[in-house]
Amino acid sequence: MLCNNCVLSTEDDSSLTLDDCGICNYCNEYKLEHSNKIPQSIEKIIAKIQQDGKNNTHNCIIGVSGGVDSTYLTYKAHQYGLKPLLIHYDNGWNSSEAVQNINKLVEKFNFDLFTYVNDWQEFKDIQLAFMKASVIDIELVTDHALVAILLKEARRRKIKHLLTGHNSASEAILPKSWYHWKNDSLNIRAIHKKFGSLPMKTYPYLSFWENYIIEKRKLVNNVHLLNVIDYNKEDAKKLMISEIGWKDYGGKHFESIFTRFYQGYILPVKFGVDKRKAHLSTLINSGQISREDALEELKNPPYKKEILDEDKQYVLKKLNISEKEFQDIMNLPVKKHTDYPSFFNKHYKWSKMLGKKFGDEFYFDK
Ligand SMILES: [Zn+2]
């Protein structure tokens, strides 16, 4: 059954429920959260960042991916006179457009850029381990590392503020069964140990306790700046194209070729998940698209056939697996993340308490 307000249905997610009016829990949660929102003063936030970093070369960190959210965020940081250190996590899957976008951004504003390059053989080993484990959130490998590197660098350089590209205007809704908790470092280690073969050396791994201490002692402050300002993605794209020559490459998070293949092929074919539905449902709730237009857009396939074939060849070659090996992975029965050691089972008592606190905190524009 389809929600009367968005484009998600009960078949999409086991935790989706419809109320008497046929509205889903995600739409209701969105409405509740946004009606209770206290407007924050952007001037106060900027003043605090400047005050805390007055003796530092940089007063904040921005994780950049080449995508529109982080590009626009950097543009706003420049407008507000901030001195950000741009950090890019390179896991080996960048599209050339993403790299060009980052280069243009750095040239335009002359900000410092720190790129952390993960050893490719090692990253590949962890990523393949997740594929062989047959769990849904293969992107956990990248998302965890990205947060880890941002927090580690913030601590090392004594920078207090982390500007995130998280924005509820375009990414508030994500069905719970479509992803796993990004801080489940135990799950990453366990899956890698079982299915991987190389030691974990350069992967930016953040243990649960490192994370907990940073959070508990408020060592790094996450600033969701795009939530404070009025953020419209389409307007931002147009502005970035004209201001810095930013290049649009289609879908959300398509700056990584693996992400494009994962969202456009692995997720829908193996797990029956069309991630566009979550994105479009958020846009409906934030008033940026009509439900009719969203339903119309979903009639298009998630992937253009020519790009799919090209990406598939690229991904298989880069992962060094044959068509048969890939097909075997696709045919494996789907497993839950918690079928492997995880904070949600091994340390259940306190993870339930702490997980609630950490669970949905970290979303970054990749
Ligand atoms: Zn809904």
Side-chain angles (χ1 to χ4, degrees), residues 2-9 16-18 22-28 173 281 285:
L2 196 62
C3 166
N4 279 337
N5 184 55
C6 70
V7 293
L8 286 165
S9 79
L16 188 142
T17 52
L18 297 173
I23 310 287
C24 78
N25 50 318
Y26 294 105
C27 285
N28 282 326
I173 293 176
S281 292
N285 276 286

Side-chain angles (χ1 to χ4, degrees), residues 5-8 26-27 30 34 166-175 252 275-289 294:
N5 184 55
C6 70
V7 293
L8 286 165
Y26 294 105
C27 285
Y30 184 95
H34 287 80
H166 172 77
N167 62 94
S168 54
S170 74
E171 54 189 15
I173 293 176
L174 192 59
K252 185 171 164 59
K275 230 168 170 186
R276 295 176 304 168
K277 288 186 184 176
H279 182 55
L280 289 166
S281 292
T282 311
L283 293 180
I284 293 170
N285 276 286
S286 63
Q288 298 188 52
I289 194 172

